[in-house]
Amino acid sequence: ETGVTQTPRHLVMGMTNKKSLKCEQHLGHNAMYWYKQSAKKPLELMFVYNFKEQTENNSVPSRFSPECPNSSHLFLHLHTLQPEDSALYLCASSPPGLAGEETQYFGPGTRLLVL
Amino acid sequence: EDQVTQSPEALRLQEGESSSLNCSYTVSGLRGLFWYRQDPGKGPEFLFTLYSAGEEKEKERLKATLTKKESFLHITAPKPEDSATYLCAVQAHAGNNRKLIWGLGTSLAVNP
């Protein structure tokens, strides 16, 4: 595997279910991100982890719970979601914050549908 | 307030018909401007990073340029496989340096 991978690629869940999204990066980066992408809206940053430490929580509801066990893996735990949470969830990673090396590289995304 | 505006919202070209996409930005000190390409149902694919006014970068039929208030993505003799949504994002010096401000994108369709 190369780059950033995400599983599952598609997920349908009811509002009472609990599920998890997984992201893995094979680029040797130290920072990882969760984004939400909805139609007609710009990408919304949800969480940022830098060297396994959460450095950004962009006012995300508690029904979304991130976990970063190491610099290569990132999870997003989902519970009691709402239909408006249906979207494409994207994971990204980036190298250390030095000028010229901060480009974010994205995974293919998980298309989530909440019924 | 930092913001990014992309125009046009949608663009339809004939194969071989060159054009430009615009990304206008207001940010308190530009650290970097990023262009990505996104195909339907997939994650954004990195194209270019620009750091200072006057900088230009090229990749195949694409050329990105940067001024102090906007960036252009020039597409020369496009092919149908260039059809995608092109996203622009900026990174500011102030505040959280890892947070990007994103535009809504330009949806490009190239007809054969």
Side-chain angles (χ1 to χ4, degrees):
Chain A
E1 291 279 12
T2 59
V4 181
T5 58
Q6 290 187 242
T7 55
R9 293 294 313 279
H10 302 273
L11 180 62
V12 179
M13 58 188 291
M15 289 190 284
T16 59
N17 293 157
K18 290 184 179 181
K19 296 287 185 182
S20 295
L21 310 184
K22 178 183 175 183
C23 174
E24 184 173 0
Q25 61 95 359
H26 309 266
L27 299 169
H29 293 166
N30 61 287
M32 297 188 77
Y33 311 73
W34 280 118
Y35 283 91
K36 176 183 179 182
Q37 187 174 36
S38 306
K40 305 295 184 184
K41 290 185 177 181
L43 266 76
E44 299 174 52
L45 180 64
M46 301 175 71
F47 303 103
V48 181
Y49 278 82
N50 193 19
F51 290 107
K52 304 188 300 178
E53 298 298 319
Q54 188 180 125
T55 58
E56 179 95 15
N57 178 338
N58 211 25
S59 302
V60 180
S62 59
R63 57 186 183 270
F64 294 92
S65 175
E67 178 189 1
C68 188
N70 55 60
S71 293
S72 298
H73 295 85
L74 185 64
F75 296 88
L76 188 62
H77 304 299
L78 315 172
H79 63 98
T80 59
L81 294 190
Q82 304 299 310
E84 59 265 29
D85 296 322
S86 298
L88 182 67
Y89 288 84
L90 294 162
C91 174
S93 69
S94 69
L98 303 174
E101 297 181 352
E102 295 166 333
T103 300
Q104 294 180 22
Y105 295 86
F106 286 82
T110 294
R111 173 65 65 184
L112 173 66
L113 177 61
V114 181
L115 300 176
Chain B
E1 180 185 349
D2 297 340
Q3 74 177 18
V4 172
T5 303
Q6 291 188 246
S7 62
E9 183 176 323
L11 181 63
R12 185 175 294 275
L13 300 173
Q14 288 300 122
E15 185 172 2
E17 179 186 3
S18 301
S19 188
S20 297
L21 313 182
N22 178 264
C23 173
S24 297
Y25 63 89
T26 53
V27 65
S28 50
L30 181 69
R31 186 176 175 93
L33 184 143
F34 303 84
W35 282 100
Y36 288 84
R37 168 198 170 121
Q38 186 173 25
D39 293 300
K42 297 187 177 181
E45 175 189 344
F46 170 69
L47 294 174
F48 304 108
T49 307
L50 302 168
Y51 292 102
S52 57
E55 189 175 1
E56 299 182 353
K57 288 191 177 176
E58 288 188 67
K59 179 181 178 180
E60 296 181 354
R61 295 177 292 282
L62 300 178
K63 179 180 178 180
T65 61
L66 180 65
T67 72
K68 289 187 177 180
K69 58 179 182 179
E70 62 190 347
S71 176
F72 291 94
L73 185 65
H74 306 280
I75 304 177
T76 301
K79 297 181 177 181
E81 52 263 42
D82 295 321
S83 298
T85 296
Y86 290 85
L87 298 172
C88 173
V90 299
Q91 185 179 31
H93 273 294
N96 185 339
N97 288 340
R98 293 193 176 276
K99 187 170 184 175
L100 300 182
I101 302 138
W102 292 85
L104 287 172
T106 293
S107 176
L108 174 65
V110 181
N111 297 326

